[in-house]
Amino acid sequence: MQSIDAPDVVRTTCPYCGVGCGVAVSVGAGAVTLSGDRAHPANFGRLCSKGAALAETLDNEGRLLYPIVDGKRASWDVALDRVASGFKDIIAQHGPGAVAFYVSGQLLTEDYYVANKLMKGFIGSGNIDTNSRLCMSSAVAAHKRAFGADAVPVCYEDVELADLVVLVGSNYAWAHPVLYQRLAAAKKARPGMQVVVVDPRRTATCDIADMHLAIAPGADAFLFNGLLHHLRREDAMDIAYVEAHVEGFAAAFEAAKTVSSIPKVAQVCGVEESELSEFFRLFAKTERTVTVFSQGINQSSSGVDKGNAIINVHLATGRIGKPGMGPFSVTGQPNAMGGREVGGLANQLAAHMDFSDVSGVDRVQRFWNASNMARVPGLKAVDMFRAIADKKIKAVWIMGTNPVVSMPDADRVREALMACELVVVSDCVQHTDTTACADILLPAAGWGEKDGTVTNSERRISRQRAFMPMTGEAKPDWWIVTQVAQRMGFAGAFPYTQPAQIFREHARLSGYENDGARAFDIGAMCEIDDAQYDALQPIQWPVNSQAPDGTRRLYTDGKFHTPGGKARMVAVAAQLPAIATDVEFPLVLNTGRLRDQWHTMTRTGKVPRLNAHSYEPYVQMHGRDAQRFQLQDGGLARLSSRNGTMLARVQISEEQRTGSVFVPMHWNDMFARSARVDALAAAITDPISGQPELKHTPVFAEAYRPAWQGFVLSRERIALPEAGYCACTQGAGYWRHEIAGEAVPENWRDWVQDALGCSGGLIEYRDAAMGRYRAACIQDGRLEAVFFIAPDQRLPEREWLASLFGQAVIDPADLAGLLAARPPKGAVANTGRTVCACFSVGEKTIMNAIQEQKLDSVEAVGACLKAGTGCGSCVPEIRRILKGSS
Ligand code: SF4
């Protein structure tokens, strides 16, 4: 590990999304600076807004610093003994099926490997599942059905080489921003390249699209089945390839017959016949085609079939295993792929072996010398939490994830954990919705402290390297699991003292009795020494004697991992989502990511410039739906489903289809009150993959009409218990609280003083007739808080007020206009919501510059304001503002 004072550059990997960008970190004199690693083949120096802000997430604020047992600080020895004895006692009384691990795509491969080995080889249960279940398990199952292995055939370069890129259910621009940047650059260099976006929403990704098919939610399999028929009708199949390398065509074609004519497909998909014909024509004629698919496909009650419907059209045209061609599932998390390699999913074993193959189970048992090998799959995530609720699982260890926010029917998940006999959570963050349910908290190492490997969406294994010492008493996840395994009596099988040892064992298992039948093989790396492990360069698996330097793309020879060596087209009976809308719940709720937040905001929520892009939970809907449900832009709405309710700010947008609404997935109880969107989602899953249908929840929307609305800006975060609605975000030197309440306090001054703990220095303005109240707390000349209340959302803008927290003593000119929210002449103007996170440029600033300086292009805005010239993530938004201003 590098010393904190060493000026050396440490090459590591971004911990956020499945793109797996390389990051070059310099640590000197206690300060960390970072940039994209120009040598890393995933990003060649690029980073998105989240990756570029990583250095701002490294402080200790919010970190879990030491073990906590039953709410009290404990030593590692006490905590580890409690975990080991707790699990052992429950296993002794109720058997191995009464315990479970719920792990995460945030874990490194070495962490994952050890956890999986302990549960499946020594505890003797398959009950280890991962939050990747929620992300891409449908793609895993689709790959296995089609290719005989969970293998992504393409590499990132293929997307750049393609003449047609179809993006299905993927907001690439926000969810995989650097891949989007690479695609945008390729299209700029070759304008003839066509990009088609298939998505019910008009997302930022459409900025570079030649065509946007705003398909009806969940109709994707109808679209691709229809395309299969079209390819056959138009004689656009590669018959020779199908005959030589594919089986199952006739059955797949037959199954696709039910809805196959263009008018019928257009009707089911809710698109115009002409645009559908155009898409089919484009696909049929374009040899070099990549179809990228993501959570919009996977998070479905028929996600596996949807994945196979996509793969079918690539197999029918022979567009796989060649440059610029192939179906491409992009993973959500940094190490979702690594988890798949080691068997982190409950229905997998290890190193791409499977419970369905007895010889594979025996092989893993022999390799591990496992004392209690699991022989049947464990419970997948949704079933696992149901079993916890039913008290069949009595002890669960949750590692690096936040299921109380991210699981469907999230309120029931919280209830289940609160009632569970033993809940252990290892995490680097102390306060999350899930750690609040834990009996034992174990402090895990965070990014910058961890050492191991991750695998990105193109099968590329990269090192995540430590560049700073561990915070407090934090320990690596592999170490924590190893210690528990030793205390449970399995010391001989868990001798690990460093991650390189684990990696070598993992590599050896991948090559063990592997005659090429298993796609995942990194056997050539099983004897690397510690120095070689430290210096490991990014490499794509397989890495074996045939491919010692790794493998860029798979299936170049048309040989697949099925017993007969042929790929399988799957008969897909296209279906619409499991639960349809009805009179009671007439809108379809879709969920997804924001550009600048990651998962449950535990890290990105610490960065003011990332928070400034979107500082409240919102529900985006079409104007006609807003009218229908009597909602106002900027007002508050209550969304309800059969499972739960939430509150969010209404955002009217023509980018939504009528009948559909969109809510970001990130908000949780640590940052908002009543804004966990997955509390609304039903625990309905794909029958094969077990992946929940998070993209399609029937909901009802109604106006939430509080008695008052307001905001508080304060140096410290404050609790506002009477506010029925509250969203908090951290700004530069202050906290922003957007609030609303149902009961008007008897005395606002008392309320403010209670909330702020402000004993003196309060200045106030009251207009009782208009229901307005404003106050500011000033102590020793310094602004501590401002408090604005109104009967509705018509409130002053916040930016100038927020800028006053940068003053050690408030300027008298600013003080004069404070409660009127009126800046003095020449003061920083209200800049609006941040659009460019790299250079903190607000929406209003851009609009004003466009108007005043007659700017007419993204480049002109960049030259004038620098906006859009950093990571590039905001370019689609700048173009949207330009369009709106013209
Ligand atoms: Fe990190 Fe993904 Fe952004 Fe790359 S694209 S910097 S991996 S969040």
Side-chain angles (χ1 to χ4, degrees), residues 14 16-17 19-21 47-48 50-51 176-178:
C14 174
Y16 293 133
C17 84
V19 179
C21 295
L47 291 177
C48 74
K50 296 182 285 283
H176 299 92
V178 164

Side-chain angles (χ1 to χ4, degrees), residues 323-390:
M325 302 184 214
F328 182 22
S329 150
V330 279
T331 55
Q333 294 200 75
N335 198 28
M337 184 75 89
R340 287 146 75 171
E341 292 160 8
V342 303
L345 292 161
N347 52 316
Q348 293 181 337
L349 205 41
H352 276 205
M353 282 172 274
D354 214 292
F355 286 105
S356 59
D357 171 18
V358 177
S359 63
V361 180
D362 287 342
R363 187 180 302 117
V364 177
Q365 179 176 29
R366 279 186 280 114
F367 182 86
W368 280 344
N369 196 15
S371 56
N372 195 17
M373 190 72 204
R375 301 214 158 256
V376 291
L379 295 173
K380 296 169 185 152
V382 168
D383 291 333
M384 181 183 282
F385 283 97
R386 268 194 199 118
I388 295 170
D390 293 343

Side-chain angles (χ1 to χ4, degrees), residues 399-719:
M399 302 181 202
T401 183
N402 200 353
V404 172
V405 181
S406 55
M407 286 291 294
D409 205 7
D411 288 345
R412 306 293 94 67
V413 168
R414 173 158 34 207
E415 286 161 18
L417 287 176
M418 291 305 282
C420 184
E421 207 171 309
L422 176 61
V423 178
V424 180
V425 178
S426 32
D427 206 311
C428 56
V429 177
Q430 180 161 9
H431 297 293
T432 72
D433 296 52
T434 300
T435 58
C437 305
D439 301 292
I440 301 174
L441 284 173
L442 304 174
W447 185 75
E449 303 162 7
K450 286 161 59 142
D451 202 21
T453 55
V454 289
T455 310
N456 72 4
S457 295
E458 61 166 354
R459 293 172 279 103
R460 191 178 295 281
I461 299 169
S462 298
R463 288 279 277 110
Q464 218 180 75
R465 296 183 174 92
F467 56 83
M468 54 195 283
M470 279 178 236
T471 299
E473 296 177 17
K475 297 284 186 187
D477 287 284
W478 65 261
W479 182 91
I480 302 171
V481 179
T482 295
Q483 290 297 312
V484 170
Q486 291 178 358
R487 284 164 161 82
M488 290 181 78
F490 309 125
F494 293 83
Y496 313 116
T497 55
Q498 49 160 319
Q501 255 176 309
I502 304 165
F503 182 82
R504 284 190 286 268
E505 184 179 312
H506 165 56
R508 209 163 46 246
L509 176 56
S510 76
Y512 184 60
E513 298 176 2
N514 189 351
D515 52 2
R518 306 199 305 272
F520 179 67
D521 181 0
I522 55 168
M525 294 195 281
C526 73
E527 287 182 355
I528 60 174
D529 60 25
D530 293 353
Q532 288 169 315
Y533 178 76
D534 280 346
L536 188 68
Q537 294 303 303
I539 189 164
Q540 286 173 282
W541 61 258
V543 188
N544 51 24
S545 54
Q546 290 85 51
D549 299 323
T551 311
R552 184 180 288 193
R553 59 182 66 83
L554 299 177
Y555 307 128
T556 50
D557 57 0
K559 288 203 184 92
F560 293 84
H561 288 96
T562 54
K566 287 189 170 188
R568 291 181 290 234
M569 286 179 68
V570 175
V572 171
Q575 297 167 47
L576 289 173
I579 308 180
T581 53
D582 54 27
V583 182
E584 223 181 321
F585 298 102
L587 291 165
V588 173
L589 166 66
N590 182 10
T591 63
R593 285 182 184 165
L594 289 172
R595 191 192 76 188
D596 289 353
Q597 292 293 347
W598 176 252
H599 279 196
T600 56
M601 301 163 67
T602 48
R603 286 173 294 179
T604 45
K606 292 168 91 172
V607 184
R609 64 190 170 111
L610 296 183
N611 292 332
H613 180 243
S614 181
Y615 38 76
E616 270 185 285
Y618 67 77
V619 51
Q620 196 180 59
M621 60 172 60
H622 195 278
R624 282 201 288 276
D625 284 326
Q627 217 173 15
R628 182 175 159 208
F629 293 93
Q630 299 179 336
L631 299 169
Q632 280 182 358
D633 194 34
L636 287 166
R638 186 197 308 276
L639 294 182
S640 23
S641 75
R642 290 193 165 83
N643 294 76
T645 65
M646 68 170 292
L647 299 174
R649 189 73 61 187
V650 176
Q651 206 179 81
I652 293 179
S653 167
E654 303 308 301
E655 292 166 358
Q656 284 293 327
R657 276 178 72 96
T658 52
S660 292
V661 300
F662 173 80
V663 175
M665 58 177 263
H666 311 281
W667 291 89
N668 58 78
D669 286 2
M670 300 299 121
F671 295 92
R673 193 161 296 149
S674 193
R676 285 154 56 245
V677 69
D678 287 331
L680 276 66
I684 305 265
T685 59
D686 181 288
I688 301 166
S689 68
Q691 181 154 356
E693 186 148 71
L694 295 173
K695 297 289 189 197
H696 193 283
T697 303
V699 296
F700 180 73
E702 62 193 317
Y704 172 65
R705 293 201 173 85
W708 54 268
Q709 298 197 42
F711 65 85
V712 182
L713 308 177
S714 53
R715 289 198 186 269
E716 301 297 326
R717 185 175 176 168
I718 54 177

Side-chain angles (χ1 to χ4, degrees), residues 115-132:
N116 187 55
K117 181 177 176 181
L118 174 58
M119 182 54 79
K120 290 187 182 141
F122 292 84
I123 288 177
S125 165
N127 283 347
I128 171 168
D129 209 40
T130 158
N131 62 2
S132 302

